[in-house]
């Protein structure tokens, strides 16, 4: 089981637990504001954009080429940006902190 902390745009901290699936689906299922997942998790819309706390980037790894290409189109992307549809829940993510990114 992994505990994942979402920091909303209003600076509210929400801790969720998950065992499998994508981080985006966990967020959508629990109504995390700002995580819409409009494309259903196929890395084609960036409505699940988050910034990984710099202390936790080793837990999430680097974005794939397709994910990086999608993030390049987003004005709010930075070096900590990830699409949480591309983050699979595992024990490796336990304790990760994700800031919900601003939307376009």
């Amino acid at each position: 089981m992994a505990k994942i902390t979402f920091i909303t745009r209003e600076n509210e901290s929400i801790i969720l637990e998950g065992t499998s699936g994508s981080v985006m689906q966990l967020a959508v299922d629990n109504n995390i504001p700002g995580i819409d997942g409009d494309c259903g998790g196929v890395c084609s819309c960036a409505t699940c954009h988050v910034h990984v706390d710099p202390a936790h980037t080793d837990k999430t790894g680097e974005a794939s080429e397709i994910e990086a290409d999608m993030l390049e189109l987003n004005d709010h992307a930075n070096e900590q940006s990830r699409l949480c549809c591309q983050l699979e829940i595992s024990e490796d993510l336990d304790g990760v902190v994700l800031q919900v990114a601003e939307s376009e």
Side-chain angles (χ1 to χ4, degrees):
M1 174 134 348
K3 287 186 180 180
I4 298 169
T5 301
F6 292 89
I7 308 297
T8 69
R9 293 177 189 142
E10 289 74 35
N11 212 30
E12 177 186 4
S13 179
I14 301 170
I15 300 172
L16 300 176
E17 294 182 350
T19 56
S20 64
S22 75
V23 171
M24 180 216 66
Q25 195 60 56
L26 179 68
V28 168
D29 290 348
N30 289 278
N31 301 309
I32 298 296
I35 303 291
D36 299 326
D38 289 344
C39 72
V42 296
C43 196
S44 67
C45 71
T47 61
C48 65
H49 181 199
V50 295
H51 295 152
V52 179
D53 183 297
H56 299 267
T57 55
D58 59 322
K59 294 181 182 210
T60 59
E62 297 207 8
S64 69
E65 185 176 340
I66 292 170
E67 181 182 356
D69 288 346
M70 182 61 57
L71 287 165
E72 281 182 19
L73 302 173
N74 190 298
D75 291 337
H76 302 285
N78 64 29
E79 58 277 353
Q80 277 78 41
S81 288
R82 291 297 307 268
L83 300 180
C84 64
C85 68
Q86 300 301 294
L87 299 175
E88 287 295 315
I89 297 172
S90 71
E91 288 192 22
D92 293 339
L93 287 184
D94 188 43
V96 73
V97 177
L98 305 172
Q99 172 77 48
V100 177
E102 293 297 321
S103 62
E104 296 298 323

